[in-house]
Amino acid sequence: MKHHSATYSPSIYHLIDKLCVVIPMKSPKRSKQRLVGCLSDAAREKLSLTLFENTLAFFQRHFPMLDVLVVSESLEVLSLAQAYEANTLFDDGEKGLNGALDFACDWVKQSGYDSQLIVPSDIAALDPEEIIALMKAAHDAPVVIAVAKDGGTNALLTSPPDAIHFEYGCDSASAHKANAMNNRLVCRSLHLANLALDIDHSEDLQVAVIRQPERFKAWRDSGPLFINKSHIKERHYA
């Protein structure tokens, strides 16, 4: 496990060396299906890879002390992850996201980690303070959820890694909270502005363009996806 020299608050210090970040990533060719009709196949594939690489770079830059595991069916994705010094795990994808995460969780447990932080590969803008907020919350709660804008789960920190059964899908934040309660575990649900915004729909990409026009310039100019941004009301999450 990696060592670090940065100073963190005592409430998260016990997690640093025994926490593994897990990033699930499907094949770029199958990613962003909800943007079909808004972006070309090539643009969708490029977007998914760009967001994934941004996620890898974020953890390498801001949390170099944390080990990262990428689970994917794509050899291209796994090769890119290795370039960022991440651990990699091939999953054939037949059991979907929850099956891939079960597989990754087994690896995390067998590798000796006490905690696991699942982060999707498609958050528009990751914020170090939000990741620290998750880790601080884990000091008192075995299950910590960063709730997505649509009620999904955009980050899940569990101690131990298999503290609850994974139920990613529609309204998964409520499902994960219910699973924690059924297991008599304290659960904290956090509403964090940046972690709430993953890019699933054209509206999400519109908001990302408004927030970070330079980063998302290529997709702003991709065609009929975007309307005059004066007509777009950016949603804020408490």
Side-chain angles (χ1 to χ4, degrees), residues 129-131 133-134 145-147 155 190-197 237-238:
E129 292 303 317
E130 292 186 352
I131 300 300
L134 289 170
I145 301 167
V147 182
L190 305 183
H191 297 267
L192 303 167
N194 289 299
L195 273 173
L197 182 61
Y237 307 97

Side-chain angles (χ1 to χ4, degrees), residues 62-80:
H62 295 286
F63 297 94
M65 76 295 296
L66 293 180
D67 292 325
V68 173
L69 171 67
V70 172
V71 57
S72 179
E73 64 190 309
S74 166
L75 296 181
E76 177 185 11
V77 163
L78 297 179
S79 178
L80 180 56

Side-chain angles (χ1 to χ4, degrees), residues 1 18 41 46 53 67-68 76 81 89-90 94 100 104 160 169 180 184 187 199 216 219-220 227 235-236:
M1 297 182 187
K18 295 185 178 180
D41 292 348
K46 183 179 180 182
E53 190 163 7
D67 292 325
V68 173
E76 177 185 11
L89 193 61
F90 177 80
E94 289 187 2
R184 298 186 179 184
C187 177
I199 297 182
F216 292 97
W219 293 277
R220 180 189 64 194
I227 60 176
R235 291 171 290 180
H236 294 274

Side-chain angles (χ1 to χ4, degrees), residues 17-144:
D17 286 331
K18 295 185 178 180
L19 170 65
C20 184
V21 177
V22 174
I23 305 172
M25 175 68 177
K26 66 174 61 173
S27 168
K29 296 184 184 300
R30 297 200 305 109
S31 297
K32 303 298 159 205
Q33 293 298 308
R34 293 171 183 171
L35 291 175
V36 171
C38 298
L39 294 178
S40 68
D41 292 348
R44 286 188 292 105
E45 185 173 344
K46 183 179 180 182
L47 175 61
S48 65
L49 282 171
T50 297
L51 290 168
F52 174 58
E53 190 163 7
N54 286 344
T55 302
L56 293 171
F58 169 83
F59 281 101
Q60 187 179 68
R61 176 182 178 184
H62 295 286
F63 297 94
M65 76 295 296
L66 293 180
D67 292 325
V68 173
L69 171 67
V70 172
V71 57
S72 179
E73 64 190 309
S74 166
L75 296 181
E76 177 185 11
V77 163
L78 297 179
S79 178
L80 180 56
Q82 290 167 3
Y84 283 87
E85 300 181 341
N87 298 292
T88 56
L89 193 61
F90 177 80
D91 177 79
D92 61 17
E94 289 187 2
K95 295 183 178 180
L97 175 58
N98 291 311
L101 290 174
D102 286 338
F103 188 33
C105 185
D106 287 342
W107 184 95
V108 171
K109 286 172 52 187
Q110 292 173 13
S111 298
Y113 296 95
D114 292 339
S115 303
Q116 172 179 277
L117 172 58
I118 299 171
V119 178
S121 62
D122 61 350
I123 300 298
L126 288 162
D127 181 348
E129 292 303 317
E130 292 186 352
I131 300 300
I132 291 173
L134 289 170
M135 291 194 285
K136 286 181 177 179
H139 181 62
D140 299 312
V143 179
V144 183

